[in-house]
Amino acid sequence: MIYLLDTNACIVYLNRPISGVRRRLESLSPQDIAVFWVSLAVLSFMTLDKGG
């Protein structure tokens, strides 16, 4: 099964070291995880908007 991550799931993974999202993703193979292209665009924009 492939898990397609949305923006919220990515933000939870990045900001919360202890979370159900992080536990689940760390138990999976990298081939079973995908990030929606819109989420990549949003996260990139958020990073640029914060000056990072």
Side-chain angles (χ1 to χ4, degrees), residues 27-48:
S27 73
L28 299 171
S29 165
Q31 292 83 10
D32 294 332
I33 303 169
V35 179
F36 190 45
W37 69 268
V38 172
S39 297
L40 289 174
V42 169
L43 293 168
S44 296
F45 178 76
M46 289 171 58
T47 302
L48 292 173

